[in-house]
Amino acid sequence: MDRRTFVKAAIGGAALGRSGFGQTPAGKITSTRLGDNLFSFVGAGANVIAMTGADGVVMVDGGLAERSAELLAAVASLPGSGAVRTLFNTHWHAEQTGSNLTLGKAGATIIAHENTRLWLTTDITRPWEKKTFQPMAKEGLPNKTFYTTGSLNANGEKIEYGYLLQAHTDGDIYVFFPKSNVLAVGGIVSNGEWALVDWWTGGWIGGLVTGVETLLKMGDANTRIVPAIGPIMSRAELQAQHEMYRTVSTRLQQLIRKGKSPDEAIAAEPTKEFNDRMGNPEMFVRLAFQSLWGQMSPDA
């Protein structure tokens, strides 16, 4: 809390004027089979995973609230589907928690890191957006939280999950399905666009690098990685993202040690060789640079 207070004071009332950075536009909700009883969905605002079986449906993330009804109808139509018994929130963002209230009221277990639950209990107004996220109603709050790692036996599989420390936010988690060799990673990486470094709620660029390192220790060369945004990734693609973010993080740390401002960091083009693949970097660089303010200070 002390670090967050510091960076809030440092940024003051600055606004970047772009709302919804890092959020996939909602569209037609479609599914892809990842395993015998494991499916991914696109079109709900972020990628969603659903596992069906006799123990009930297990979902990873719930899309945007305005797409929840359509998403849950699509999940209900899956082979072997039934009631959603478990929902994971990979972090607090609206694209991940939009089905919390519906499923919480229906009695589902909602699993998240404790920091995610805490963020969902308070107003959040990030300085680069002209909106305030209101607290989640009590029925939609995560009702099973953890701090390090955990596991869940469901539908004939031991599902593993764990904390990624301060990365995209300070509540990011992964969810691993070993039988299907599928790893859901939430917003820590985005395939085809820059990740959102949400320093306002505890994320930072160095933690993003460390978080991806943790993910690379899981599974094997054939593991399929499901990010919050964009197509499913291979382990090789995840490795390439790690190298990219590590390079950019090093460059940004060199700039802050020289006392540069966010505008000067953008002008230095620390992402130059990656922009053709990842898109316009200005917002990413600005937020990633600002995320360093609470972690390090310029040399005297």
Side-chain angles (χ1 to χ4, degrees), residues 120-176:
L120 289 172
T121 65
T122 187
D123 290 338
I124 300 173
T125 306
R126 301 182 294 192
W128 58 89
E129 295 177 306
K130 296 179 179 179
K131 65 185 297 184
T132 296
F133 296 94
Q134 301 293 331
M136 178 76 68
K138 182 178 180 180
E139 297 91 338
L141 291 174
N143 48 43
K144 181 178 180 180
T145 62
F146 69 100
Y147 291 94
T148 54
T149 60
S151 63
L152 170 70
N153 292 308
N155 301 323
E157 182 167 357
K158 183 179 180 180
I159 303 167
E160 302 169 5
Y161 54 93
Y163 184 37
L164 293 169
L165 304 179
Q166 290 177 278
H168 168 59
T169 70
D170 64 10
D172 296 295
I173 69 170
Y174 65 81
V175 183
F176 184 43

Side-chain angles (χ1 to χ4, degrees), residues 39 41 50-54 56-58 72-84:
F39 303 82
F41 290 84
M51 169 194 268
T52 62
V57 174
V58 177
L72 295 178
V75 170
S77 70
L78 292 173
S81 190
V84 177

Side-chain angles (χ1 to χ4, degrees), residues 183-207:
L183 179 61
V185 300
I188 191 170
V189 295
S190 298
N191 193 0
E193 64 179 77
W194 295 103
L196 169 64
V197 184
D198 187 351
W199 59 264
W200 194 254
T201 59
W204 77 293
I205 182 63

